[in-house]
Amino acid sequence: MNRRYHLWIAFGLLFITIGVIQHLSGTGSDATTGMFVTTGAVVLVFAGTRAMRKDEGPEQDERTRRIGAYGITYSWFVTLLYLFVLFWVQNLGVIALSSSDVILSSILLMAISARLFQWWFFRRGDVE
């Protein structure tokens, strides 16, 4: 395994260890403890999946890069419109959302719409 992945795994384990020690000793708040453990777990997952890759992934050319960029751009624009609508819906008193609801729904919308736009552009063949 590459030395870089060992370093990332060490950082992930360090974050988890700090979080567990804070929790057991009672020195940190629940928020910081959760932050350290979650960050460590995410770093471990990403380092592990990167380390298990056998090849460089699919070959990229101009077309695939352009489709990826267009998909992400469209996703960003849809998310911007979504946040604009949420702002006005909240201010008009139609619904009341917590900040965590807004953040989670925005993250999910951005990730899912980016993938859907890229899939749609790949089916069309190209972007213009």
Side-chain angles (χ1 to χ4, degrees):
M1 200 176 348
N2 194 342
R3 182 179 170 150
R4 177 176 56 177
Y5 301 126
H6 285 286
L7 186 62
W8 280 110
I9 290 171
F11 277 127
L13 291 174
L14 177 69
F15 283 142
I16 290 175
T17 304
I18 290 171
V20 169
I21 289 172
Q22 278 187 347
H23 179 69
L24 294 177
S25 67
T27 57
S29 67
D30 287 341
T32 58
T33 300
M35 179 190 69
F36 276 114
V37 172
T38 303
T39 303
V42 168
V43 168
L44 282 178
V45 166
F46 279 115
T49 56
R50 288 264 194 191
M52 288 189 288
R53 275 196 210 172
K54 300 284 188 228
D55 56 359
E56 294 296 317
E59 187 175 323
Q60 290 189 356
D61 57 358
E62 276 185 43
R63 177 182 160 270
T64 57
R65 286 190 191 125
R66 189 170 50 239
I67 287 174
Y70 267 76
I72 290 171
T73 303
Y74 277 48
S75 170
W76 178 84
F77 186 69
V78 165
T79 305
L80 185 65
L81 291 176
Y82 171 73
L83 290 173
F84 180 74
V85 167
L86 278 183
F87 170 78
W88 283 109
V89 167
Q90 178 80 21
N91 276 349
L92 294 174
V94 176
I95 58 172
L97 295 172
S98 68
S99 59
S100 60
D101 292 337
V102 173
I103 291 170
L104 179 63
S105 63
S106 299
I107 290 170
L108 290 174
L109 175 68
M110 188 171 275
I112 292 169
S113 66
R115 193 65 191 128
L116 287 174
F117 278 122
Q118 289 173 352
W119 170 78
W120 181 59
F121 286 135
F122 273 114
R123 287 201 47 164
R124 282 185 50 201
D126 204 355
V127 292
E128 304 215 9

